Amino acid sequence: MKCENCTKKECSKKQKNDDTQSTSVDALSSGDGFEEKNEFPTLANAKILLSDCLACDSCMTSEEGARVFQQNQKELFRILNLNKKCDTSKHKVLAVSICPQSLPYFAAKFNLSVNDAAKRLCGFLKSLGVHYVFDTTIAADFSLLESQREFVQRYQRRNQEEHALPMFASACPGWIRYAERVLTNLVTSHICTAKSPQQIMGSLVKGYFARQQNLSPDKIFHVIVAPCYDKKLEALREDFYTALYNSQEVDCVLTSGEIVQIMEQKNVSMEDVTEVSVDTLFDDMKEGDVVRHDGKRSDGYLEHIFKYAAKELFGMEVKEITYKALKNKDFQEVTLEKDGETVLRFAAAYGFRNIQNMVLKMKKGKFLYHFVEVLACPGGCLNGKGQAQTEDGKPDKALLNQMEEVYAAIPVRLPETNVHVQKMYQDWLEGMDSKKVQETLHTTYSAVNQTASSLDIKW
């Protein structure tokens, strides 16, 4: 499937034409035998744009294309319809996990507080037949804790290991796909091995929660609600698949906009939905008020890792971080000074123009940063292409400004203060330095053979 905005003159997969390809993909996405009861015949199939998910060798394989097309609202309703049938052996426990950057979209769009938006969204999903609705903030807690510990370890090994620094954040699947498909191991070896919050949530739901509920992982159908389309491709990664149970950690990703589309098809208004408290992974406990991490538009990897490293490596308490904008507002740096020397230099690089400039500097040996928070979307995660878009596919700037205000007003909770996370490290993961932590919370990234050069694509 050729990317819509691909800059190459000819798709490297050399399909005869896009129409033939799209026909075969549509056939694969609709041949599951549930169309006769399809409650949403007019819902659009998932669409992948270069700017959305960046299949960075300028195309996706037909298999990837087919599987991405299956990650849409129809797949959710296939499971809901399956659960209504008499054969209980085929029933699935349906769990939906919501990303923190999606909630401000629902709050701003429907003029609700973020807490009311979370409860009404939970109420709507449960009215459809969803069994559990979770907040992925706890998964981001794990991801941040593992990332900051890894950075300190890399910094301490920097003189012994060539690829220890710089360290690049691993939370954005668009960036990861670009690095693996287009760049070389020169770059991928620098990517943090901590899983993204989405995939850690997959491990929590299919691992911890499944064990708590005495369920086999394949009996749970896990849906993520996210702000961007990149997450659909991330869910398909082979390293997030358990062969023993024939089960992905995340079975389907729907964007915030796709959830709104379901509401519109059902003629449901958020104002009319009953509020229901969001579930937790712990027995009958419910979530309290919505919390977030440091960071203006994302989970705040730069801020958390910077403060942790300043304390662990140099004994310095950093309360507030001052960003210095460089070429543009989406490329900013943060430095730590001690005794007149710059001991830490971090950067935030959002959008692929900034990312490509960063990589070029690295290849030229002019890269001075110890850590970079890399995000594919200009403006960060709130500006994901799966939400806050106008009908012509451009960012809805007025709505995005409201979302930023909503997100900034959410109270910050440090991941170190989450008592549930600390307890899970001991009771489920067998300690912070255990082999199980590496198997459950980490992965590896490496360059994939491809024909396109990173310089072939102009951003």
Side-chain angles (χ1 to χ4, degrees):
M1 182 169 70
K2 190 173 185 292
C3 292
E4 184 172 298
N5 294 334
C6 179
T7 58
K8 284 190 169 289
K9 294 180 180 179
E10 183 180 12
C11 177
S12 62
K13 295 299 180 188
K14 301 187 187 305
Q15 296 290 343
K16 290 183 178 179
N17 58 65
D18 287 345
D19 292 334
T20 302
Q21 177 71 22
S22 62
T23 300
S24 63
V25 170
D26 287 341
L28 282 168
S29 66
S30 61
D32 293 319
F34 66 94
E35 294 289 5
E36 71 278 0
K37 291 187 177 180
N38 183 11
E39 300 180 42
F40 293 89
T42 62
L43 287 173
N45 285 325
K47 183 166 67 171
I48 297 299
L49 309 181
L50 184 63
S51 56
D52 292 333
C53 72
L54 220 75
C56 287
D57 59 352
S58 306
C59 57
M60 286 190 290
T61 66
S62 57
E63 180 184 1
E64 284 178 322
R67 293 178 69 192
V68 165
F69 267 67
Q70 288 175 330
Q71 289 197 53
N72 58 26
Q73 304 100 319
K74 294 177 183 178
E75 183 68 358
L76 171 64
F77 279 87
R78 182 181 71 84
I79 300 300
L80 290 170
N81 289 333
L82 197 66
N83 284 347
K84 295 175 184 178
K85 295 183 178 179
C86 297
D87 187 356
T88 57
S89 66
K90 295 182 179 179
H91 287 190
K92 301 276 188 178
V93 173
L94 189 48
V96 176
S97 299
I98 304 170
C99 294
Q101 292 77 29
S102 288
L103 288 176
Y105 168 69
F106 291 100
K109 184 174 181 64
F110 297 104
N111 196 27
L112 299 167
S113 72
V114 71
N115 289 314
D116 287 346
K119 292 177 180 178
R120 290 179 188 271
L121 181 56
C122 179
F124 171 69
L125 292 169
K126 290 198 171 185
S127 73
L128 297 177
V130 172
H131 299 103
Y132 297 96
V133 178
F134 301 120
D135 180 349
T136 67
T137 300
I138 188 171
D141 285 341
F142 278 108
S143 185
L144 286 166
L145 290 171
E146 291 301 307
S147 297
Q148 62 191 29
R149 289 176 68 229
E150 181 174 334
F151 174 79
V152 167
Q153 292 166 4
R154 282 175 176 256
Y155 189 93
Q156 292 169 337
R157 301 195 308 264
R158 69 192 185 283
N159 294 326
Q160 290 78 42
E161 294 183 16
E162 180 184 0
H163 299 296
L165 293 178
M167 185 176 94
F168 298 122
S170 56
C172 174
W175 149 245
I176 294 297
R177 191 166 181 86
Y178 176 57
E180 289 190 318
R181 291 294 181 99
V182 178
L183 307 178
T184 66
N185 283 320
L186 170 70
V187 173
T188 55
S189 59
H190 290 273
I191 297 174
C192 178
T193 65
K195 288 182 182 178
S196 71
Q198 169 174 303
Q199 295 311 135
I200 288 181
M201 196 66 194
S203 297
L204 295 177
V205 171
K206 294 288 186 91
Y208 178 82
F209 182 72
R211 190 180 73 172
Q212 296 296 105
Q213 301 295 318
N214 293 316
L215 290 168
S216 173
D218 60 308
K219 298 300 292 183
I220 299 176
F221 191 84
H222 185 207
V223 179
I224 292 282
V225 176
C228 65
Y229 292 97
D230 311 43
K231 302 290 188 180
K232 294 176 185 282
L233 279 167
E234 181 182 27
L236 300 179
R237 290 179 63 95
E238 292 181 2
D239 44 333
F240 302 144
Y241 169 78
T242 304
L244 178 62
Y245 298 104
N246 188 27
S247 176
Q248 294 286 145
E249 292 177 347
V250 174
D251 297 290
C252 181
V253 175
L254 297 179
T255 65
S256 313
E258 287 175 311
I259 296 297
V260 170
Q261 192 179 33
I262 294 175
M263 292 179 178
E264 292 171 349
Q265 290 286 335
K266 298 283 283 185
N267 292 318
V268 171
S269 170
M270 282 282 272
E271 291 83 355
D272 301 327
V273 175
T274 302
E275 292 186 5
V276 178
S277 295
V278 175
D279 301 298
T280 71
L281 301 168
F282 315 105
D283 298 323
D284 295 326
M285 289 184 61
K286 299 294 183 180
E287 289 283 1
D289 289 345
V290 174
V291 296
R292 68 174 177 91
H293 298 107
D294 278 326
K296 298 177 181 178
R297 303 170 185 175
S298 66
D299 281 314
Y301 284 82
L302 184 151
E303 297 203 16
H304 284 281
I305 295 174
F306 187 86
K307 291 177 180 179
Y308 180 83
K311 183 177 181 180
E312 290 294 313
L313 296 171
F314 305 103
M316 300 176 66
E317 291 277 355
V318 177
K319 298 296 184 183
E320 296 292 332
I321 286 182
T322 302
Y323 286 89
K324 178 184 177 182
L326 299 180
K327 288 188 175 182
N328 54 69
K329 66 178 182 178
D330 277 336
F331 194 96
Q332 302 185 65
E333 75 169 25
V334 176
T335 58
L336 181 70
E337 309 289 332
K338 186 176 183 179
D339 300 328
E341 179 186 359
T342 300
V343 291
L344 286 180
R345 190 183 299 273
F346 282 28
Y350 298 169
F352 277 92
R353 293 184 186 278
N354 286 322
I355 291 172
Q356 193 175 48
N357 287 334
M358 174 191 77
V359 172
L360 287 173
K361 285 184 178 181
M362 187 175 179
K363 289 182 175 181
K364 292 177 180 179
K366 299 180 179 180
F367 200 77
L368 303 176
Y369 298 103
H370 298 108
F371 172 82
V372 185
E373 180 183 273
V374 190
L375 298 175
C377 293
C381 297
L382 286 181
N383 193 33
K385 296 296 190 296
Q387 61 185 24
Q389 299 287 296
T390 60
E391 290 185 2
D392 59 357
K394 296 180 180 179
D396 187 331
K397 293 183 179 180
L399 183 60
L400 186 60
N401 288 336
Q402 288 180 266
M403 290 163 58
E404 290 175 355
E405 292 177 5
V406 169
Y407 193 67
I410 298 173
V412 171
R413 182 186 69 191
L414 296 176
E416 294 89 344
T417 63
N418 189 332
V419 294
H420 294 298
V421 167
Q422 300 305 324
K423 191 172 188 304
M424 290 173 75
Y425 265 119
Q426 300 307 316
D427 297 347
W428 179 51
L429 295 170
E430 303 168 4
M432 296 189 73
D433 297 313
S434 69
K435 180 180 178 181
K436 191 170 182 180
V437 164
Q438 290 299 314
E439 293 172 347
T440 306
L441 305 181
H442 290 259
T443 188
T444 56
Y445 302 101
S446 58
V448 177
N449 290 333
Q450 27 67 39
T451 57
S453 164
S454 60
L455 299 182
D456 287 339
I457 301 176
K458 306 300 181 184
W459 305 110

